[in-house]
Amino acid sequence: MTVANSPDILSILARDTLSILKPRAKSLIVTVYGDAILPHGGAAWLSDLIKVMEIFHIGERVVRTAVFRLAQDDILTAQQIGRRSVYSLTESGHQDFDAAQRRIYAPVRVREATGAPWQIALLTSTIDSTERDNLRKALGWIGYGSLGPQVLLGIGGTLDAAKKEITHLGLEGRVALFEAAPGSPIETLRALCRETWDLEETDSAYRAFINSFAPILNALENDQKSLTPETAFTLRILMIHVYRRALLRDPGLPADIMPETWSGRQATELAARIYDILKQPAQSYLENTASGVDGSLPPPSEAYFSRFQGTIA
């Protein structure tokens, strides 16, 4: 799809994308924290957050309700400083956001299943449903899928990351970890993966992302002069919001197991190109809108500068 140039086309695309997506306030604030606030320490004044969320047509009352619920979920914690409130990521929130960030902004990795180790986590019967759900979520960040009520399966990673998550949840005495080399034909491995992960749903999410944001990349590549910092920030947050929801379903399986029509690599390359264009002007918007707890906004972390590094050819 080709988008004609116009002085207002980028702001129109941002407005239309927001109107189509209609993101929920709580979920979008999670994206704002992960993409924009985490690199600067993970803390933001409530007044600054309210100002930022205005560009997404989310009002003050809705923002206050959303951050209150995020605090109840142990993702954010509030601190009163004078008459102002600052919301920071909790320790648990930091761990979850750091794990998600390593997935979201990582370059494309092309791995083959042949010889790649498989990880198996066996849950004992003493683990209750809440603990099981928490474990599935935690190991899901690093590419594990559920093969059954007491079996989680991963491929191509290491046991260390799983051990860390299991220890964090206090389940190290009730989860047994194994690593094994595959001894079955690739067709059998593909069938096993289809049972463990909903690859069709993930591919559909990737294709929806591509359909939504390929026209935006086309417009950005044709006309960046009319791109304002506010529009850049709006587009960057919306893009990451949609991309992460697809990516975090993706187990990151080796390429030779995936369907030939798999859209994941194309989606990641699209996200990387858009991010590269929007990164600096969006950063300018944030620096001119938000301040740090002790004054000016702290400089971004080193990890921020390596986002999507190596993805763009």
Side-chain angles (χ1 to χ4, degrees):
M1 176 179 175
T2 301
V3 180
N5 288 334
S6 162
D8 297 319
I9 189 62
L10 293 172
S11 61
I12 291 172
L13 281 172
R15 181 199 66 196
D16 291 349
T17 302
L18 179 62
S19 177
I20 292 168
L21 294 178
K22 295 182 175 64
R24 295 182 179 179
K26 183 180 173 183
S27 180
L28 192 62
I29 288 172
V30 168
T31 302
V32 169
Y33 263 85
D35 186 65
I37 296 174
L38 180 62
H40 297 276
W45 292 108
L46 178 58
S47 56
D48 287 345
L49 184 61
I50 290 170
K51 191 183 303 181
V52 167
M53 298 309 293
E54 283 178 357
I55 68 175
F56 300 102
H57 303 161
I58 296 175
E60 178 178 345
R61 187 176 67 174
V62 177
V63 173
R64 289 181 181 274
T65 300
V67 295
F68 175 76
R69 289 175 178 168
L70 288 168
Q72 287 184 316
D73 293 341
D74 194 34
I75 295 172
L76 297 179
T77 182
Q79 180 184 3
Q80 198 73 21
I81 302 178
R83 299 179 64 182
R84 304 179 70 191
S85 298
V86 62
Y87 278 83
S88 308
L89 290 170
T90 62
E91 181 180 352
S92 176
H94 251 296
Q95 290 177 343
D96 286 348
F97 276 54
D98 286 340
Q101 181 168 255
R102 288 191 293 270
R103 289 287 313 278
I104 294 168
Y105 305 102
V108 174
R109 293 185 303 157
V110 179
R111 299 180 289 113
E112 302 298 321
T114 306
W118 289 71
Q119 291 81 42
I120 303 168
L122 298 181
L123 287 60
T124 66
S125 59
T126 60
I127 293 178
D128 63 33
S129 59
T130 300
E131 291 172 324
R132 187 183 300 115
D133 289 344
N134 290 338
L135 181 61
R136 285 174 175 168
K137 177 184 175 183
L139 294 188
W141 288 118
I142 54 176
Y144 279 67
S146 180
L147 186 58
Q150 292 179 272
V151 182
L152 297 174
L153 186 67
I155 179 172
T158 66
L159 292 181
D160 289 341
K163 287 178 181 177
K164 182 178 178 181
E165 296 295 341
I166 290 168
T167 300
H168 174 65
L169 293 172
L171 299 175
E172 60 269 28
R174 293 182 284 163
V175 179
L177 286 173
F178 301 89
E179 190 167 74
S184 301
I186 195 70
E187 291 80 9
T188 305
L189 299 180
R190 286 174 179 157
L192 179 63
C193 289
R194 286 195 296 271
E195 290 186 25
T196 307
W197 294 279
D198 192 341
L199 299 180
E200 290 185 5
E201 182 179 346
T202 302
D203 189 64
S204 177
Y206 274 139
R207 283 188 274 107
F209 168 76
I210 292 167
N211 291 337
S212 294
F213 286 91
I216 290 175
L217 175 61
N218 182 63
L220 287 168
E221 289 181 332
N222 280 287
D223 179 19
Q224 295 180 39
K225 292 181 180 179
S226 62
L227 180 64
T228 66
E230 180 177 310
T231 297
F233 187 84
T234 305
L235 287 172
R236 193 179 95 176
I237 293 297
L238 292 176
M239 186 274 289
I240 288 296
H241 187 70
V242 179
Y243 175 66
R244 78 170 173 89
R245 291 168 72 90
L247 178 82
L248 295 180
R249 300 175 183 173
D250 187 346
L253 298 175
D256 52 353
I257 285 182
M258 303 307 293
E260 292 183 4
T261 57
W262 184 248
S263 305
R265 184 181 182 91
Q266 182 184 353
T268 297
E269 291 175 348
L270 173 62
R273 290 186 180 277
I274 293 175
Y275 205 88
D276 186 56
I277 295 171
L278 299 177
K279 191 172 187 177
Q280 188 52 52
Q283 181 68 12
S284 297
Y285 169 80
L286 186 68
E287 290 175 353
N288 290 326
T289 304
S291 57
V293 176
D294 298 320
S296 59
L297 194 68
S301 63
E302 287 298 319
Y304 174 77
F305 295 103
S306 62
R307 287 177 169 179
F308 291 114
Q309 197 171 67
T311 298
I312 304 174

